[in-house]
Amino acid sequence: MKVKKDFVARKVGDSDIVVATGKAVKNFNGYITLNETGRFLWDLLENETDEKNLVAKLLEEYEVEKEVAERDVKKFIAVLSENGILE
C-alpha cells in the first residue's frame, strides 16, 4: 500500500496537513491534520510498504509498546483508506 499520487502532505504554520490535488479534489474536500507520528507514517507511505513494516518502523523511532503501535497504525490506515487516500 502507498499514498495515491494526488494527495500531498504540506507544512502550514506549525501543522502538517494532507490535501488533495488534481482529480482527487472532486472526491476529497478539506484536509487531514497530521501529528508528529502521523507525519512519520505518511512519509513511509509515500513508498510501497505494508502494515507490518509501518509498525516495525514506529517501534524503531518511538518508545511505544508493540500493541499500541499496532493499534495506532491500524487506525491511521483506516482513516486514510476511508478517505480514498491509499492505493
Side-chain angles (χ1 to χ4, degrees), residues 6 9 39 84:
D6 287 339
R39 181 59 193 244

Side-chain angles (χ1 to χ4, degrees), residues 1-3 9 11 16 20-22 27 29 34-36 39 44 49 51 55 57 63 68 76 86:
M1 84 185 110
K2 71 182 218 177
V3 172
K11 189 95 162 144
D16 286 302
T21 63
N27 298 320
N29 296 321
L34 301 173
N35 62 16
E36 178 184 342
R39 181 59 193 244
L44 293 172
T49 191
E51 189 174 319
V55 170
K57 294 291 186 183
E63 291 183 29
V68 172
F76 188 70
L86 296 177

Side-chain angles (χ1 to χ4, degrees), residues 10-87:
R10 295 286 184 254
K11 189 95 162 144
V12 177
D14 292 336
S15 300
D16 286 302
I17 63 168
V18 172
V19 295
T21 63
K23 295 177 183 177
V25 172
K26 292 179 183 178
N27 298 320
F28 183 82
N29 296 321
Y31 61 92
I32 295 174
T33 302
L34 301 173
N35 62 16
E36 178 184 342
T37 308
R39 181 59 193 244
F40 177 78
L41 293 171
W42 179 272
D43 291 343
L44 293 172
L45 283 163
E46 289 182 337
N47 298 300
E48 187 67 35
T49 191
D50 61 21
E51 189 174 319
K52 184 177 178 179
N53 184 54
L54 292 175
V55 170
K57 294 291 186 183
L58 203 59
L59 291 171
E60 288 175 15
E61 186 70 18
Y62 297 96
E63 291 183 29
V64 62
E65 294 179 16
K66 185 176 181 182
E67 295 78 22
V68 172
E70 290 171 339
R71 183 189 70 223
D72 290 351
V73 166
K74 281 185 188 301
K75 283 183 184 178
F76 188 70
I77 290 170
V79 168
L80 297 183
S81 295
E82 289 168 10
N83 285 286
I85 296 173
L86 296 177
E87 49 178 58

